[in-house]
Amino acid sequence: MNDRILMTFSPDGETRTDFVCRPEKAADARDAVSAFVSRLHPAPTSHMVQNLLLLVSELVTNAVRHAGAVTALWLTADRRGVHVRVTDPSPAHPQDRTPDLTGRTGGFGWPMVQRLAQEVRVRETAGGGKVILATVPR
């Protein structure tokens, strides 16, 4: 998994930290999130980190399961929150489904993402895929 960290300064003097990678599975994404949050100052609360780990795990799992791959995971932090972008090659938007309580077909991930995030948006990408943008408050 290739990754890179960028630190930028906005015109108002705020430091923003960006992390970009291409995880192949949810465990890779969780490792990336853990590495990312360990560099944040001030450190986020453990509750926020748990929510972020779960949200990113679900987004990456869904991208791999339903779109075949994650083309990019981009994490950005500012003083308001951590902003997550997961890009995949499928133009199909996530669908609400009735959760399968037997555990065979899922249906829990997308509602969980919507509950964990302060904001969730889905946008089409120029290459025919989509990007899911989600913000977890800091």
Side-chain angles (χ1 to χ4, degrees):
M1 176 175 71
N2 270 338
D3 58 335
R4 64 181 194 262
I5 293 185
L6 312 163
M7 290 194 73
T8 57
F9 298 96
S10 64
D12 65 0
E14 180 179 359
T15 303
R16 195 180 88 184
T17 305
D18 294 274
F19 184 90
V20 182
C21 64
R22 188 175 180 177
E24 295 180 9
K25 56 188 184 251
D28 295 340
R30 286 190 298 273
D31 290 345
V33 168
S34 295
F36 175 73
V37 298
S38 73
R39 294 176 174 98
L40 296 180
H41 183 75
T45 67
S46 61
H47 183 260
M48 182 269 193
V49 173
Q50 290 170 0
N51 286 346
L52 184 63
L53 285 165
L54 186 53
L55 178 127
V56 170
S57 291
E58 290 298 329
L59 288 176
V60 168
T61 297
N62 286 348
V64 170
R65 179 178 291 155
H66 299 293
V70 172
T71 53
L73 166 62
W74 190 301
L75 303 166
T76 304
D78 57 29
R79 67 176 168 245
R80 294 175 304 282
V82 175
H83 313 282
V84 176
R85 287 184 269 176
V86 175
T87 307
D88 69 50
S90 172
H93 286 225
Q95 300 295 311
D96 285 323
R97 297 183 295 141
T98 301
D100 178 5
L101 298 177
T102 67
R104 284 179 268 171
T105 61
F108 294 94
W110 186 239
M112 189 179 313
V113 165
Q114 293 173 310
R115 280 191 300 275
L116 291 170
Q118 182 178 33
E119 177 183 14
V120 180
R121 291 175 287 160
V122 181
R123 293 187 180 157
E124 295 176 8
T125 61
K130 70 177 167 301
V131 60
I132 298 177
L133 304 107
T135 299
V136 176
R138 207 152 167 189

